[in-house]
């Protein structure tokens, strides 16, 4: 079995992307000296260096990389070595312009950015294999090597290409998937609009069409593009496994739903030796720490609950959003340690030294343009010391309370054209339900719809438009065996081919929810609907309503107005030893909190009434002990009840029963026993 932790790294990872090729060698000694001052334990090297390593086809220059890796090794800094296949050199594209990707409308991209790759192109694949082999043969047993880093952020900025090479590859993929053209016709429902194919050679990618393209074809093309990128990763990974045994291989994910939507990370998580992730705050005025926690929980879940590694985040502001504010004092540490609390065995950044040139010169770094006299540098050094103090937690696992069901295939399908309402957004519902659980101080695991859910007292389905029959049976079995399930509207509607399940909505969920939906009735923009309870209390919904007909379920809340007046809005169905809740409208934050409160009572989840708003408490546990992270995102000092005595690792103070957490601070307690 391949190793799953960075080789030779005995502490938490702390460091970032290091691009020494952007600087004269006279700077390198200073870099490494400052890395040691900051407590850096590992850096990522070579990710964008193909043009320097192979300046002409078949002509290699490894001298500079030999020297920098040697310098890092002499100073006790481990190396995450990149295969530079995200950015082929200009000479490659001059020789193989067809390796540049083509958009659905027939436009071919040009060289001059990054990630401009047709992943089906045979010349690209051959060149990527060659440079990877050269690197593995030269550095595969280097004593500094901790981790192999393939490519960079697959799916960003390009995942799908629509060229003729991709068309031929797509037909091969369809042959493997469906075997015959009849299988494709059946899966895609090509009888509609006379789209039936006589042979596979007639099929092209879903390029620009006059109106809506076949949705099943479009969905399969997203799957194909994702699988094609994964084929290329596996090809490089297998070279590295063969030539550099014992060194884990990864590629940096972007699991946050705000940052990448074209990659099925459930599938990718099974292919990497160590799950790693890049995360950047979306500074749109919302509570950025909630999105951070969600991304960390999702990454840990993709890793199967095992420790993972934060490979990139920012020390302060980024440069690629419309507005890029700096992080507040202390926010860098809170961000980094929130990822650690939720399972990361380290905290790394993009990048070490801030670039003077290029598109990301205004992106913050560990060593800013202003050097060591800056606030950012002082906070980096302080954080490095904190990460060192937490090294004993390495290898422990984050403990979750509840599960949220999520599936990238369903998200892809729901985003296709011609749905009942463009205002219903799967990501928005996932964000909203997660935030409601976060505010109840519940730690979340994400789960695939067909995964074993038996460990969780409460499972939430915020948006699962596409659901297989197997997933439907899985959720029904979960409830029958005593689980509490919460399902939001427009879930269980279609199968894996985007075909509506036979019979009434909600298809695969009818039995477990104990109801049918006669008709969807989305609301017009800006419209709201009142919902009343038996005691006269009210909730508010918007975006969506439905004509729900109970078939065993009890009505808990009822629409008070509109077309669906007097129809159930929220239902509860007892099935076997468990309970399934259904909400057929988009509740606001108050309504979601109420709904999850009722479900939590069914699940016998005791609320953390002692924890204030924006204070998160997360546990990690393992052979080295049981650790409680308390992170105070608020502007007020708080006291957190521990339930046991312990030692606070960052201050070395004893904590007896309660723990004082100053405003904006992080505290980590090793609990006694």
């Amino acid at each position: 079995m391949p190793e799953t932790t960075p080789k030779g790294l005995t502490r938490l990872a702390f460091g970032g992307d290091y691009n020494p090729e952007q600087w004269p060698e006279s700077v390198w000694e200073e870099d490494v000296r400052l890395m040691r001052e900051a407590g850096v334990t590992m850096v990522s090297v070579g990710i964008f260096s193909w043009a320097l390593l192979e300046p002409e086809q078949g002509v290699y220059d490894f001298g500079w990389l030999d020297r920098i890796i040697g310098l890092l090794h002499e100073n006790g800094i481990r190396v995450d070595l990149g295969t530079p296949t995200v950015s082929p050199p200009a000479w490659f594209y001059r020789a193989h312009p067809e390796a540049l990707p083509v958009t659905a409308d027939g436009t071919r991209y040009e060289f001059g950015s990054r990630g401009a790759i047709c992943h089906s192109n045979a010349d690209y694949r051959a060149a990527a294999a060659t440079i990877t082999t050269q690197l593995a043969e030269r550095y595969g047993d280097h004593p500094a090597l901790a981790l192999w880093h393939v490519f960079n952020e697959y799916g960003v900025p390009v995942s799908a290409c629509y060229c003729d090479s991709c068309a031929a590859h797509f037909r091969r993929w369809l042959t493997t998937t469906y075997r015959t053209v009849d299988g494709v016709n059946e899966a895609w429902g090509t009888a509609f609009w006379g789209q039936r194919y006589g042979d596979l050679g007639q099929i092209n990618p879903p390029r620009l069409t006059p109106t809506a393209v076949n949705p099943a074809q479009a969905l399969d093309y997203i799957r194909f593009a994702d699988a094609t990128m994964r084929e290329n990763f596996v090809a490089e990974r297998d070279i590295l496994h063969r030539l550099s045994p014992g060194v884990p291989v990864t590629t940096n994910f972007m699991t946050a739903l705000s940052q990448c939507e074209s990659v099925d990370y459930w599938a990718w998580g099974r292919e990497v030796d160590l799950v790693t992730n890049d995360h950047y705050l979306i500074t749109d005025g919302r509570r950025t720490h909630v999105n951070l926690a969600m991304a960390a929980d999702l990454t840990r879940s993709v890793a199967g609950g095992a420790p993972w590694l934060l490979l990139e985040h920012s020390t302060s502001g980024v440069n690629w959003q419309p507005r890029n504010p700096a992080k507040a004092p202390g926010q860098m540490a809170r961000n980094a340690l929130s990822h650690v609390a939720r399972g990361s065995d380290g905290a790394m950044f993009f990048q070490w030294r801030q670039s003077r040139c290029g598109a990301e010169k205004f992106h913050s770094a560990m060593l800013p343009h202003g050097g060591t006299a800056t606030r950012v540098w002082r906070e980096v050094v302080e954080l490095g010391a904190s990460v060192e103090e937490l090294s004993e937690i390495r290898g422990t696992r984050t403990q979750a309370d509840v599960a949220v069901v999520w599936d990238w295939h369903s998200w892809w399908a729901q985003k296709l054209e011609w749905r009942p309402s463009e205002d219903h957004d799967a990501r928005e519902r996932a964000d909203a339900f997660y935030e409601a659980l976060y505010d109840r101080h519940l730690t979340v695991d994400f789960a695939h719809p067909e995964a074993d859910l038996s460990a969780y007292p409460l499972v939430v389905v915020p948006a699962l438009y596409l659901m297989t029959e197997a997933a439907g049976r899985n959720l029904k079995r979960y409830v029958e065996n005593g689980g509490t399930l919460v399902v939001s509207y427009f879930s269980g509607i279609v199968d894996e081919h985007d075909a509506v399940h036979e019979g009434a909505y909600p298809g695969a969920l009818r039995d477990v929810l104990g109801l049918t939906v006669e008709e969807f009735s989305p609301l017009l923009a800006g419209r709201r609907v009142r919902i009343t309870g038996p005691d006269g209390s009210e909730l508010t919904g918007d975006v969506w309503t439905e004509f729900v007909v109970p078939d065993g379920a009890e009505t808990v809340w009822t629409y008070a107005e509109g077309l669906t007046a007097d129809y159930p809005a929220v239902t509860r169905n007892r099935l076997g030893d468990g309970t399934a809740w259904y909400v057929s409208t988009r509740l606001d934050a108050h309504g979601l909190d109420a709904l999850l409160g009722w479900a939590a009572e069914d699940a016998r989840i005791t609320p953390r009434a002692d924890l204030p708003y924006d204070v998160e408490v997360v546990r990690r546990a393992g052979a080295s002990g049981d650790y409680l992270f308390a992170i105070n995102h608020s502007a007020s000092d708080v006291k957190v009840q521990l339930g046991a005595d312990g030692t606070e690792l960052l201050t070395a103070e004893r904590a007896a029963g309660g723990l004082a957490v100053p405003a904006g601070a992080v505290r980590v307690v090793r609990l006694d026993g």
Side-chain angles (χ1 to χ4, degrees):
M1 291 290 292
E3 291 295 320
T4 59
T5 58
K7 184 179 179 181
L9 188 63
T10 58
R11 297 174 290 169
L12 295 178
F14 183 69
D17 283 26
Y18 182 35
N19 300 290
E21 64 270 28
Q22 297 180 16
W23 302 91
E25 288 199 32
S26 58
V27 176
W28 297 1
E29 291 280 356
E30 179 189 20
D31 277 334
V32 173
R33 177 181 62 80
L34 291 174
M35 286 179 190
R36 294 184 63 180
E37 181 179 330
V40 167
T41 60
M42 187 169 76
V43 292
S44 302
V45 176
I47 296 169
F48 294 100
S49 60
W50 193 345
L52 293 178
L53 295 171
E54 190 179 6
E56 300 176 42
Q57 184 173 6
V59 177
Y60 300 99
D61 178 7
F62 293 108
W64 69 272
L65 190 55
D66 290 347
R67 293 191 295 277
I68 193 62
I69 292 178
L71 182 61
L72 292 165
H73 179 57
E74 290 168 9
N75 286 272
I77 299 169
R78 308 296 294 164
V79 172
D80 166 37
L81 184 55
T83 67
T85 48
V86 68
S87 288
W91 61 255
F92 172 81
Y93 286 120
R94 177 63 62 89
H96 307 288
E98 68 282 358
L100 288 161
V102 174
T103 63
D105 67 0
T107 301
R108 189 179 294 278
Y109 287 116
E110 256 295 355
F111 174 77
S113 181
R114 72 175 208 192
I117 294 164
C118 168
H119 284 275
S120 294
N121 183 266
D123 295 307
Y124 167 75
R125 290 182 167 205
T130 298
I131 189 63
T132 298
T133 299
Q134 290 285 331
L135 285 164
E137 289 177 342
R138 191 173 189 91
Y139 302 107
D141 59 357
H142 196 289
L145 184 62
L147 186 65
W148 283 106
H149 181 309
V150 172
F151 201 82
N152 182 75
E153 297 176 346
Y154 279 99
V156 179
V158 178
S159 58
C161 170
Y162 296 81
C163 72
D164 289 342
S165 293
C166 288
H169 192 182
F170 184 43
R171 295 176 199 121
R172 295 193 296 273
W173 184 86
L174 291 172
T175 301
T176 300
T177 304
Y178 297 111
R179 300 185 60 186
T180 67
V181 69
D182 289 339
V184 174
N185 282 320
E186 182 178 358
W188 291 1
T190 56
F192 186 80
W193 279 359
Q195 295 172 350
R196 187 171 184 83
Y197 296 100
D199 62 71
L200 291 170
Q202 297 172 354
I203 299 175
N204 278 322
R207 294 166 175 156
L208 187 64
T209 56
T211 186
V213 73
N214 184 313
Q217 179 188 10
L219 177 58
D220 264 353
Y221 203 75
I222 301 170
R223 289 169 170 149
F224 158 75
D226 177 53
T228 302
M229 292 188 293
R230 199 159 55 248
E231 285 177 14
N232 287 354
F233 167 77
V234 167
E236 292 191 46
R237 180 203 66 191
D238 290 351
I239 292 170
L240 297 169
H241 278 170
R242 176 170 54 85
L243 297 175
S244 183
V247 180
V249 181
T250 192
T251 184
N252 45 341
F253 294 167
M254 296 195 76
T255 62
L257 305 185
S258 55
Q259 285 162 351
C260 183
E261 61 184 51
S262 60
V263 175
D264 176 7
Y265 286 116
W266 294 125
W268 282 79
R270 296 189 291 269
E271 301 295 347
V272 297
D273 300 330
L274 168 67
V275 167
T276 62
N277 195 54
D278 297 351
H279 181 265
Y280 294 96
L281 301 182
I282 303 300
T283 50
D284 59 1
R286 294 187 292 180
R287 299 158 71 201
T288 56
H289 54 279
V290 179
N291 175 273
L292 184 157
M294 182 177 178
D297 285 345
L298 187 49
T299 307
R300 182 187 68 253
S301 302
V302 167
W308 54 281
L309 179 58
L310 175 66
L311 211 52
E312 289 183 27
H313 72 310
S314 66
T315 57
S316 191
V318 297
N319 69 300
W320 40 264
Q321 298 182 75
R323 298 159 195 85
N324 298 284
K327 289 186 178 181
Q331 188 178 2
M332 179 203 306
R334 286 198 306 280
N335 288 169
L337 297 180
S338 292
H339 284 289
V340 173
R342 294 176 185 273
S344 176
D345 269 359
M348 299 183 66
F349 295 91
F350 180 85
Q351 59 182 326
W352 163 253
R353 183 183 282 270
Q354 194 168 13
S355 300
R356 291 184 59 231
C357 303
E360 294 186 287
K361 57 183 171 288
F362 298 117
H363 190 295
S364 61
M366 299 177 77
L367 183 61
H369 290 144
T372 58
T374 58
R375 171 180 68 89
V376 165
W377 172 254
R378 291 191 293 272
E379 291 195 25
V380 164
V381 173
E382 183 179 350
L383 176 59
S386 296
V387 170
E388 172 66 21
E389 293 296 330
L390 298 179
S391 284
E392 68 181 78
I393 72 166
R394 185 171 175 267
T396 60
R397 294 190 171 214
T398 300
Q399 309 296 297
D401 303 302
V402 300
V404 169
V405 172
W406 178 258
D407 182 28
W408 277 273
H409 292 244
S410 179
W411 191 22
W412 298 339
Q414 188 178 317
K415 286 174 70 70
L416 296 174
E417 299 170 285
W418 290 12
R419 300 309 186 219
S421 173
E422 65 178 18
D423 296 327
H424 175 36
D425 180 349
R427 177 197 153 194
E428 183 279 330
R429 282 294 81 189
D431 286 347
F433 272 90
Y434 182 90
E435 188 166 2
L437 293 166
Y438 178 97
D439 285 340
R440 285 186 160 267
H441 306 288
L442 297 172
T443 303
V444 171
D445 274 349
F446 286 83
H448 187 274
E450 297 179 18
D452 180 10
L453 302 170
S454 59
Y456 305 103
L458 175 63
V459 171
V460 174
V461 180
L464 200 60
Y465 161 74
L466 182 153
M467 181 182 289
T468 64
E469 293 285 356
R473 291 192 297 270
N474 187 47
L475 293 178
K476 182 180 179 183
R477 183 167 54 249
Y478 165 76
V479 173
E480 288 174 333
N481 290 335
T484 300
L485 179 70
V486 177
V487 177
S488 187
Y489 61 92
F490 204 47
S491 293
I493 306 303
V494 299
D495 66 12
E496 59 269 34
H497 304 301
D498 197 46
V500 174
H501 286 287
E502 289 190 17
Y505 310 132
L509 289 168
R510 283 194 304 264
D511 292 343
V512 69
L513 296 176
L515 55 83
T516 61
V517 175
E518 289 188 349
E519 192 175 1
F520 310 129
S521 186
L523 299 175
L524 297 178
R527 297 289 179 85
R528 288 176 171 77
V529 62
R530 287 188 303 111
I531 302 164
T532 58
D535 59 355
S537 55
E538 289 191 357
L539 300 177
T540 301
D542 66 0
V543 171
W544 194 274
T545 63
E546 295 177 344
F547 293 92
V548 174
V549 179
D551 185 13
E554 62 177 297
T555 299
V556 181
W557 288 73
T558 303
Y559 290 111
E561 58 190 1
L563 289 178
T564 55
D566 299 327
Y567 279 84
V570 177
T571 62
R572 180 172 180 260
N573 188 45
R574 298 180 185 272
L575 183 68
D577 295 327
T579 305
W581 290 81
Y582 183 63
V583 55
S584 62
T585 188
R586 191 176 80 163
L587 296 175
D588 58 16
H590 169 69
L592 279 183
D593 180 68
L595 172 65
L596 292 173
W598 304 325
E601 289 181 10
D602 282 346
R604 298 180 177 85
I605 294 174
T606 304
R608 286 293 304 264
D610 62 305
L611 291 178
Y613 187 72
D614 275 344
V615 175
E616 58 182 284
V617 172
V618 183
R619 288 178 181 262
R620 287 185 65 157
S624 61
D626 191 353
Y627 302 88
L628 183 144
F629 285 72
I631 305 171
N632 186 358
H633 299 283
S634 77
S636 302
D637 298 348
V638 299
K639 190 165 186 178
V640 173
Q641 298 303 312
L642 300 176
D645 295 345
T647 300
E648 206 288 309
L649 299 181
L650 300 179
T651 62
E653 297 175 355
R654 287 291 295 168
L659 175 69
V661 187
V666 180
R667 294 291 181 263
V668 184
V669 178
R670 184 203 313 114
L671 299 173
D672 294 344

